[in-house]
Amino acid sequence: LQLAKRMDSGLQNTLEGSAKAALPSKKEATAGFCGQLWALSVREGLNLWRNKPGLIASVLIPAILNFFFAMIFFQVGDINAKDYDENSHFGGMTQVAIGGMFGAAQPLLLRFPLDRGIFLREY
């Protein structure tokens, strides 16, 4: 019984000690919002500069896809054409919107698996 009490009190002391160690004390200064934003911006800028194939892919892939879509939907919005169709016009505008959203999200989607370790370590 005494051994169980000692183990329980030892466990309680360990838990309290680890909880105190996890929280920053009043004496420790943490980085402010602007400092953290600057550090993250510098890191992202350096990663962007170092990853030239990724930068090229994030620009070229949407450009090539949008070129193909432009050729498919060429002059579909010309209201003076004799074969004008409102549904085709709407389809072309929708494709432009979807292409813009995926073009903006594609670099992040391609990069997320590579940054997973950093994300898990920081949060």
Side-chain angles (χ1 to χ4, degrees), residues 59-108:
V59 172
L60 274 180
I61 291 172
I64 291 170
L65 286 173
N66 286 327
F67 175 74
F68 286 135
F69 297 145
M71 292 295 104
I72 291 169
F73 290 105
F74 183 67
Q75 292 186 344
V76 77
D78 186 9
I79 58 174
N80 295 325
K82 62 180 179 175
D83 59 347
Y84 175 75
D85 183 24
E86 291 176 356
N87 290 333
S88 298
H89 191 159
F90 179 75
M93 295 301 292
T94 303
Q95 186 59 46
V96 167
I98 291 172
M101 287 186 285
F102 274 104
Q106 187 173 10
L108 298 173

Side-chain angles (χ1 to χ4, degrees), residues 10-118:
L11 180 63
Q12 186 67 27
N13 290 340
T14 303
L15 290 174
E16 288 173 1
S18 65
K20 288 178 184 174
L23 297 173
S25 66
K26 301 267 187 215
K27 296 177 185 175
E28 294 179 25
T30 58
F33 175 77
C34 292
Q36 291 179 14
L37 182 65
W38 178 254
L40 288 173
S41 299
V42 167
R43 184 179 75 188
E44 291 299 315
L46 288 175
N47 287 340
L48 184 68
W49 181 253
R50 291 175 185 156
N51 188 11
K52 288 187 170 74
L55 178 63
I56 291 169
S58 68
V59 172
L60 274 180
I61 291 172
I64 291 170
L65 286 173
N66 286 327
F67 175 74
F68 286 135
F69 297 145
M71 292 295 104
I72 291 169
F73 290 105
F74 183 67
Q75 292 186 344
V76 77
D78 186 9
I79 58 174
N80 295 325
K82 62 180 179 175
D83 59 347
Y84 175 75
D85 183 24
E86 291 176 356
N87 290 333
S88 298
H89 191 159
F90 179 75
M93 295 301 292
T94 303
Q95 186 59 46
V96 167
I98 291 172
M101 287 186 285
F102 274 104
Q106 187 173 10
L108 298 173
L109 292 173
L110 292 174
R111 191 168 162 200
F112 185 76
L114 301 173
D115 289 345
R116 184 177 181 268
I118 295 171

